[in-house]
Amino acid sequence: MAFQMPFRFAEKSTPSMDSRARLSKMMEYDQPLVWVTLLLMLLGMVMVYSASISLPDSPKFANYVRWQNTYFLQRQAMFVVVSLVAALFVFRIRIADLQKAAPYLFIGTLVLLVLVLIPGLGVVVNGGRRWLSLKVFNVQPSELMKVVIVLYAADYTVRKQEYMHKLTKGFLPMAIAVAFVGGLLLLEPDLGAFGVIVCIAMGILFLGGINVVWFGGIGALLALIFVSIIALSKFRRERYFAYLNPWEEDNALNKAYQLTHSLIAFGRGEIFGVGLGGSVEKLHYLPEAHTDFLLAVIGEELGLVGVLIVIAMFYWLIKRAFDIGRQAIAIDQTFAGLTAKGIGIWIGVQTFINMGVNLGLLPTKGLTLPLMSYGGTGVVINCVGLAILLRIDYENRVLMRGGRL
């Protein structure tokens, strides 16, 4: 009996200790956040393949696709691999180090935005000079600016916390920086990226405690600026009026062509869709189906159910970003908290604009669906932003356990 009791005690305690060890290891990072991100990327890769499978038949793409139906799938798979490697690298960087580097990253990205505008360096695609060629693929500095402005605005808000209620020392320097970025983006032109960046900066300043009166006034001024940009540009003005009445014959055949075919795609999909690969609109009717209008192909092939699942995953991702930010601020990690919420604003605003355009709720604007649409820089930068979010959550867990970073 004296021999059996210790044996039984050891037999019961060992699994319990192993369970605690496994639980502790499992809770070191946010597994659901990782899985939702991976699911969105994998679903996006499948839908990019489905949306682009007929593109080799088009003269526009035949020169470099070389009649390979899997060209865009292979490229997207390569982008996903590069994105995961970049995310693993960024996850290892301490948030404190990112805060120190934020001003330098902002200046460096501004230089890239200037280089894009130099003939011979900037690559022109569909009338926009937005890319720098790295031979293997093109880099879009405006995408990089989205994550950099999150870091810069969060760092600025922390450094200028005591001046946030003052116009000249608090808001004005940040407004000048964003205006300079906006000027460069409008020269490309890229009004969509400018809108997202303005929303990120304003959102972080608001969360950081900017004077509400100044915030409202500047918000109204920004709205006036965007309206003026649209009104003074014949192309944007025509596109806006076409969006208001897309089914008018002239609009449907010209400025609202993408929108009408996107709406037709959603209509064909109904509740459960026509089946994966069964889209008709992707057969050269809906332009850019694998980039800006990927959601329309999802709606046609997977129906309302597929669209709602995508919306639910993005909603969870954005909500999780704000939860992580709230948790970081609660343990006095203000920069980390504002950065996490800024990432949530970034993903949320861009997702809302892309989905709104696809559904006809907003005027047509060239913004991709985060993590899902075809594109190298966009997917890589989205993953970098979410790696920073995952790192913030990891550091929150370490500090709440009494550990040191």
Side-chain angles (χ1 to χ4, degrees), residues 8-49:
R8 289 176 182 173
F9 176 78
E11 188 178 33
K12 292 181 180 179
S13 64
T14 302
S16 177
M17 292 171 64
D18 290 343
S19 298
R20 287 197 298 269
R22 284 196 300 270
L23 182 63
S24 176
K25 183 178 180 181
M26 183 175 64
M27 293 179 63
E28 286 180 358
Y29 66 96
D30 193 331
Q31 284 192 357
L33 179 61
V34 174
W35 281 112
V36 169
T37 301
L38 289 175
L39 284 173
L40 284 170
M41 293 175 69
L42 292 175
L43 177 59
M45 191 162 60
V46 171
M47 297 312 302
V48 164
Y49 176 51

Side-chain angles (χ1 to χ4, degrees), residues 169-383:
K169 292 185 178 181
F171 180 81
L172 195 57
M174 187 66 190
I176 293 173
V178 174
F180 189 61
V181 172
L184 294 174
L185 290 174
L186 291 177
L187 290 174
E188 294 184 1
D190 195 347
L191 182 61
F194 179 38
V196 172
I197 287 170
V198 167
C199 289
I200 293 170
M202 291 293 289
I204 291 177
L205 289 174
F206 177 76
L207 294 171
I210 192 173
N211 185 287
V212 177
V213 176
W214 288 120
F215 181 83
I218 298 300
L221 179 60
L222 285 171
L224 179 61
I225 290 173
F226 275 99
V227 170
S228 300
I229 291 172
I230 294 172
L232 295 175
S233 171
K234 181 181 178 182
F235 173 77
R236 293 191 179 101
R237 188 169 64 250
E238 290 177 348
R239 177 177 283 187
Y240 178 76
F241 285 117
Y243 144 77
L244 294 177
N245 187 17
W247 298 108
E248 195 271 325
E249 183 178 356
D250 185 58
N251 291 337
L253 296 175
N254 291 288
K255 299 300 182 182
Y257 181 82
Q258 280 183 302
L259 174 56
T260 53
H261 281 277
S262 177
L263 296 175
I264 290 171
F266 284 110
R268 291 192 74 249
E270 297 185 346
I271 303 298
F272 298 104
V274 298
L276 185 62
S279 169
V280 171
E281 286 300 317
K282 70 185 181 185
L283 303 178
H284 310 300
Y285 292 104
L286 178 61
E288 307 298 333
H290 61 306
T291 55
D292 301 345
F293 283 84
L294 189 67
L295 187 70
V297 179
I298 295 174
E300 186 176 2
E301 296 189 351
L302 304 182
L304 176 64
V305 173
V307 172
L308 289 178
I309 289 173
V310 172
I311 292 174
M313 285 194 287
F314 275 111
Y315 169 78
W316 186 91
L317 198 65
I318 296 161
K319 181 179 182 299
R320 184 67 189 127
F322 276 86
D323 289 342
I324 291 171
R326 191 180 305 113
Q327 192 176 53
I329 292 174
I331 56 176
D332 295 327
Q333 301 297 306
T334 307
F335 171 78
L338 291 175
T339 299
K341 291 184 178 184
I343 292 170
I345 293 171
W346 162 31
I347 300 296
V349 168
Q350 185 162 333
T351 300
F352 174 76
I353 292 175
N354 177 272
M355 291 184 173
V357 166
N358 277 251
L359 293 166
L361 301 175
L362 297 172
T364 304
K365 182 43 56 198
L367 280 175
T368 58
L369 187 60
L371 297 171
M372 299 187 71
S373 291
Y374 174 80
T377 308
V379 176
V380 171
I381 297 303
N382 292 155
C383 282

